[in-house]
Amino acid sequence: MSALFQFLLRQGDNTLVLGHRVSEWCGAAPALEEDIALANTALDLIGQTQMWLGYAAEIEEAGRTADDLAFLRDAYDFRNLLLLETPNRNFGHTLLRQFLFDAYQVPLLASLESSTDQRIADIATKAGKEAQYHLERSQDTVIALGDGTEQSHTIMQDALNRLWSYTGEMFESDIVDEAMTANGIAPDPTSLRDVWNTTVDAALKLADLKAPEDNFAHKGGKNGRRHTEHLSHMLSTMQVLQRSYPGASW
Amino acid sequence: MSREWPLWEVFIRGQHGMSHRHVGSLHAPDEEMAIKNARDVYTRRNEGVSIWVVETRHIAASSPSDKGPLFEPANSKAYRHPTFFPIPEEVGKM
């Protein structure tokens, strides 16, 4: 597997897995307005997935399409961050997970806009505007719920305690990242940590939430070594149609 | 105090040069979220370039039962329409 192909899978799998998770709220969100907003976010992410995985399939040159990559790979072939496959649990948890990712994705995409790979720069330019809006929205909601009622505060603090150990993986750099950095294709993930910290610290302060002291980080998503058990369950729902009726289309 | 989000009226400007038009209403906890919700509910098919929101309780409205005295007197005053003046061709559309 080429480093560029792996890098593109990571981007596409991040948006695919989070996009599917967010789409699970469709018809079930606590208010009509939030329902539509979450569906919009999910659709943005799936649209970005088409671009990332579409390019990945071209680079692979194995005759596969973006759809093949999305619907016919198993959990161990996925390269998404573990954070994004964690279950939705509740609305606050979902929005906090979204915020922790958005705060990472916005500076990443901003940096990718000047990638030496023009195709990646173009994808990042389009996706960047969507990510900025996602961040504005998730950040406001996290602050409102964290600094809301006693009940909403408790739910948000619990979500932060659960999710914190999944944030470290975003800033792990490995051999794929080194190859991308060397060619000017993508930034070193470790370089995104400071700006992420600034965004997240400011929001958590306003939300009256405290990040756990422990900086243990779960790893194994972006390199595919060890996904959580949640990903297979999610894929079994997401992929059931193509698995049951191969090639079905409408 | 009510635990429901207040109601907001949403006005969208479709394109530059047009005025904002009322498109509907929605619920939101505050004005910033009302604009975000309006963006998500009413501009997802590329309908707008600008959004106004106003909390519904701030809009004063005429009463339907006053329709007679308010509007009917204008029915019989056709001379108020500017249709009695010939407009020269060269003026074009007004």
Side-chain angles (χ1 to χ4, degrees):
Chain A
M1 237 195 279
S2 80
L4 179 57
F5 178 63
Q6 284 223 51
F7 171 78
L8 293 168
L9 279 187
R10 288 174 179 182
Q11 305 314 312
D13 288 348
N14 279 349
T15 52
L16 174 60
V17 169
L18 182 61
H20 185 82
R21 276 290 183 227
V22 175
S23 80
E24 290 173 357
W25 277 104
C26 192
L32 177 143
E33 291 81 357
E34 294 296 341
D35 202 288
I36 295 177
L38 284 167
N40 286 348
T41 303
L43 285 168
D44 285 348
L45 292 167
I46 301 301
Q48 293 170 18
T49 303
Q50 284 180 325
M51 297 191 285
W52 290 122
L53 293 187
Y55 188 27
E58 286 175 35
I59 293 294
E60 190 193 28
E61 291 186 315
R64 293 202 280 185
T65 65
D67 283 343
D68 294 335
L69 292 174
F71 295 113
L72 299 175
R73 279 181 304 147
D74 289 311
Y76 42 78
D77 293 323
F78 274 71
R79 294 290 180 270
N80 59 283
L81 298 162
L82 297 177
L83 170 73
L84 308 176
E85 68 198 44
T86 57
N88 289 339
R89 296 187 193 279
N90 56 53
F91 180 72
H93 189 277
T94 299
L95 265 293
L96 182 64
R97 182 187 61 203
Q98 183 76 38
F99 169 64
L100 295 172
F101 178 67
D102 292 340
Y104 166 80
Q105 192 75 341
V106 166
L108 171 62
L109 291 170
S111 173
L112 288 177
E113 282 187 36
S114 48
S115 171
T116 52
D117 185 314
Q118 190 56 44
R119 184 81 172 270
I120 289 177
D122 292 344
I123 296 173
T125 303
K126 180 165 191 292
K129 293 190 189 80
E130 294 170 345
Q132 279 174 30
Y133 180 73
H134 298 166
L135 175 60
E136 266 187 49
R137 190 168 185 106
S138 61
Q139 179 169 269
D140 280 3
T141 310
V142 164
I143 293 170
L145 292 175
D147 185 33
T149 64
E150 199 175 313
Q151 185 189 18
S152 73
H153 176 81
T154 305
I155 289 172
M156 295 311 280
Q157 185 60 57
D158 176 59
L160 187 59
N161 296 347
R162 276 177 185 276
L163 289 170
W164 193 249
S165 56
Y166 290 100
T167 57
E169 191 186 15
M170 295 191 280
F171 310 103
E172 287 294 319
S173 185
D174 66 5
I175 190 164
V176 172
D177 296 304
E178 281 163 26
M180 294 301 103
T181 311
N183 293 323
I185 292 176
D188 185 340
T190 53
S191 71
L192 302 169
R193 179 129 219 171
D194 283 348
V195 58
W196 184 84
N197 276 341
T198 306
T199 310
V200 170
D201 289 350
L204 294 185
K205 194 162 179 237
L206 290 171
D208 196 21
L209 297 171
K210 281 206 172 52
E213 301 275 328
D214 187 358
N215 273 330
F216 169 77
H218 293 285
K219 291 170 209 165
K222 68 184 263 184
N223 58 29
R225 289 211 186 95
R226 187 168 55 196
H227 281 282
T228 68
E229 72 272 27
H230 306 297
L231 181 62
S232 292
H233 288 279
M234 195 201 95
L235 293 183
S236 69
T237 304
M238 189 183 91
Q239 298 180 333
V240 65
L241 196 124
Q242 284 303 318
R243 298 290 195 182
S244 308
Y245 305 93
S249 65
W250 66 88
Chain B
M1 202 184 110
S2 166
R3 290 171 60 86
E4 290 293 315
W5 291 341
L7 191 64
W8 301 76
E9 300 301 322
V10 180
F11 301 81
I12 305 276
R13 186 210 293 277
Q15 46 181 289
H16 289 292
M18 307 284 284
S19 33
H20 287 72
R21 290 185 63 151
H22 184 240
V23 293
S25 52
L26 48 72
H27 290 90
D30 58 37
E31 57 191 36
E32 281 172 21
M33 280 312 289
I35 288 179
K36 288 197 173 67
N37 286 347
R39 180 266 194 195
D40 277 314
V41 175
Y42 292 112
T43 70
R44 56 201 300 276
R45 297 186 185 86
N46 205 19
E47 292 96 334
V49 296
S50 168
I51 298 171
W52 287 352
V53 292
V54 60
E55 219 184 311
T56 306
R57 67 188 176 90
H58 293 307
I59 293 183
S62 63
S63 163
S65 59
D66 287 341
K67 210 167 62 178
L70 280 181
F71 306 119
E72 277 171 27
N75 284 351
S76 56
K77 300 180 174 66
Y79 53 84
R80 287 180 181 170
H81 293 275
T83 48
F84 299 97
F85 307 97
I87 297 171
E89 280 285 323
E90 49 272 26
V91 171
K93 276 212 184 329
M94 284 187 76

